[in-house]
Amino acid sequence: MAKILLEVITPDRLLVREEVDMVVAVATEGEFGVLPGHAALLTLLEIGEARYKKDGHIEYMAIAGGIAEVFKDRMTILTEAAELGREIDIDRAKKAAERALERLRKKEGVDIARADAALRRAVTRIKVAEKAKGA
Ligand code: ATP
């Protein structure tokens, strides 16, 4: 059966390089799925959950925004940070969420966009880690 070669690349590492059956990620317009034979695509990614299916198993990832390119059964995700669900430290993400919420509550002298992005990264990590536990 046809596969997609998925690569998830951060400045530090190649998180994923796998032949997979399906990928789902979050673009600015919402969630989208990629199956083998998908049309060429270049899109911005939101901070959010991504997942891929391989041999009937679903692997969950937290993606901190970035770019996705699909071309000829190859999908590349370039992102500042990405983690597999099972490697996420939930306590660290919870603390990051609390810090971001605290900043957002203060309002004055706070970079709202930055705090909001930190909150969304943390919430995504918590959600993805919980899903990976149950997977
Ligand atoms: P924190 O304030 O906890 O560092 P952050 O959102 O500022 O969170 P990032 O700048 O997005 O962190 O990521 C820095 C590095 O730490 C990246 O390599 C990322 O994959 C990793 N990372 C961040 N949070 C976690 C986590 N909860 N579990 C595992 N790795 C994490």
Side-chain angles (χ1 to χ4, degrees):
M1 224 173 72
K3 301 268 182 188
I4 305 157
L5 176 62
L6 172 67
E7 289 190 328
V8 180
I9 302 166
T10 77
D12 315 320
R13 60 179 174 159
L14 178 62
L15 178 67
V16 174
R17 189 168 199 278
E18 300 257 24
E19 297 268 357
V20 306
D21 300 305
M22 184 195 69
V23 184
V24 176
V26 187
T28 34
E29 304 82 23
E31 202 173 70
F32 68 106
V34 175
L35 290 167
H38 195 286
L41 169 80
L42 180 63
T43 186
L44 287 175
L45 294 178
E46 283 290 342
I47 294 167
E49 172 193 314
R51 56 189 184 273
Y52 65 84
K53 196 170 178 188
K54 182 177 174 159
D55 304 331
H57 173 77
I58 298 179
E59 189 77 45
Y60 294 92
M61 297 173 283
I63 305 285
I67 297 172
E69 183 193 42
V70 179
F71 187 66
K72 288 194 177 169
D73 286 343
R74 196 180 174 122
M75 179 168 180
T76 308
I77 292 178
L78 295 175
T79 176
E80 272 299 316
E83 304 85 37
L84 297 175
R86 63 182 126 86
E87 65 180 357
I88 291 172
D89 176 340
I90 297 193
D91 285 342
R92 175 175 165 182
K94 284 185 176 163
K95 284 182 187 132
E98 277 164 26
R99 277 198 307 277
L101 277 172
E102 194 52 43
R103 284 196 200 104
L104 288 169
R105 274 192 215 105
K106 274 193 202 153
K107 291 196 182 96
E108 266 173 58
V110 173
D111 182 340
I112 301 281
R114 186 172 160 192
D116 177 66
L119 179 60
R120 285 184 292 128
R121 284 197 303 276
V123 169
T124 297
R125 284 173 178 138
I126 295 164
K127 190 178 84 173
V128 167
E130 300 282 353
K131 280 198 182 180
K133 267 197 206 165

